[in-house]
Amino acid sequence: MFKKIFKFLAKCLLWFIISTVGVVVLYKWMPVPITPLMVIRYFEKDSPKLLKHDWEPIENISKNLQLAVICSEDQIFLSHNGFDLKAIEKAYENNKKGKRIKGGSTISQQTAKNVFLWPERSWLRKGLETYFTFLIELVWSKERIMEVYLNSIEMGNGVYGAEAAAQYWFKKPASKLSKLEASAIAAILPNPRKYKANPVTNYIASRKSWIIKQMNFYGPLNYKTEDE
C-alpha cells in the first residue's frame, strides 16, 4: 500500500517537474498570452471586465520604463540570482513584528508569481514562487525576464503590460515613453488598481521624483555586461 502511494506521488512529482520545466522553456521564446492573475481579476465581483494586454518585444519598450521599474522595484536585478537575500531578511524581521506578510520580492520573483501562479499570499504559493524563480533564472536571460515582466504585470485596473499601460495612461506606444511618463507608471506598481499614473496625486508625484533621481544615479541600462 505504501509502495503504491509512494510510486503515485513520485510520478506526480516527475510530471510536475517535466511540465513546469517545459512551460518555462517554451516561454523562453513564446509570448505569454494570458496569466492566472488576468483571469482572476476579470471574474472578480467588482471587475470592470477589461483586459487590455498587447505583447511587445523588449526592443519596442522604452529603456526609460525598463530602468524605471528596476530603480523602483529591484535595483540589484541585473546582479542577483533571483533573490535579494538582504531584502528577504529584512522582510522576515518585519513579519515577526506583526501578522501581515510583507514583501521583499525581486523582479524575477514577481515575474514567476504573475506568469505561473495566483495572487493569494500563502506558504504554498511562496514555495512555488521560489521554484519558478529558480527555473526562470536558470533558463531565461535577464533581458527575457524583464521582457516577460513588462508584458505581464498589472499596470492599471484591467491593464496589463507596458504597451497597454502606455496607451491607457499616455495615449502613446510603450517605445515612446519619456522618463517622466515611465517613472509615473513605475510609481503606481505597488498598487496599480488604487493609484493613477496620469494625472498623479501628490504621493505618486513624490514617488516619481524619487524614481527619477534613482534613474539618474543608476546610469545606462546594459543587460549584456551584467549577464556575461
Side-chain angles (χ1 to χ4, degrees), residues 121-182:
R121 288 177 174 177
S122 68
W123 289 112
L124 173 61
R125 199 221 67 195
K126 203 66 181 176
L128 290 171
E129 179 186 302
T130 300
Y131 169 74
F132 277 108
T133 300
F134 170 78
L135 280 185
I136 65 174
E137 281 281 344
L138 183 67
V139 177
W140 302 351
S141 66
K142 288 289 187 180
E143 190 172 26
R144 178 58 177 175
I145 293 173
M146 177 59 70
E147 182 176 45
V148 175
Y149 174 78
L150 286 176
N151 274 288
S152 303
I153 60 170
E154 196 172 27
M155 292 182 166
N157 202 358
V159 180
Y160 302 90
E163 182 64 22
Q167 295 289 351
Y168 182 79
W169 292 117
F170 298 107
K171 312 301 181 187
K172 60 168 58 176
S175 60
K176 302 296 184 181
L177 288 171
S178 68
K179 186 178 288 188
L180 281 171
E181 292 162 344

Side-chain angles (χ1 to χ4, degrees), residues 27-138:
Y27 282 161
K28 182 176 182 179
W29 298 283
M30 176 183 159
V32 179
I34 197 166
T35 69
L37 179 64
M38 294 177 193
V39 176
I40 290 168
R41 290 280 193 255
Y42 186 84
F43 287 104
E44 284 179 342
K45 185 177 179 180
D46 299 326
S47 168
K49 303 303 179 187
L50 288 175
L51 209 169
K52 299 179 182 294
H53 179 228
D54 302 300
W55 182 279
E56 287 289 345
I58 199 163
E59 294 81 11
N60 294 346
I61 300 175
S62 169
K63 277 286 181 74
N64 288 323
L65 184 58
Q66 297 175 49
L67 184 57
V69 297
I70 286 176
C71 290
S72 173
E73 300 290 300
D74 181 6
Q75 294 194 12
I76 61 169
F77 169 67
L78 294 177
S79 59
H80 65 57
N81 63 355
F83 306 94
D84 184 344
L85 298 182
K86 289 184 178 178
I88 291 172
E89 183 180 352
K90 185 178 179 180
Y92 175 74
E93 292 299 325
N94 287 333
N95 291 339
K96 286 200 302 184
K97 299 174 183 178
K99 295 182 179 179
R100 183 172 177 265
I101 299 175
K102 193 172 180 179
S105 295
T106 63
I107 284 175
S108 301
Q109 288 174 278
Q110 293 179 48
T111 304
K113 178 188 70 177
N114 278 284
V115 173
F116 302 106
L117 303 170
W118 60 95
E120 176 196 8
R121 288 177 174 177
S122 68
W123 289 112
L124 173 61
R125 199 221 67 195
K126 203 66 181 176
L128 290 171
E129 179 186 302
T130 300
Y131 169 74
F132 277 108
T133 300
F134 170 78
L135 280 185
I136 65 174
E137 281 281 344
L138 183 67

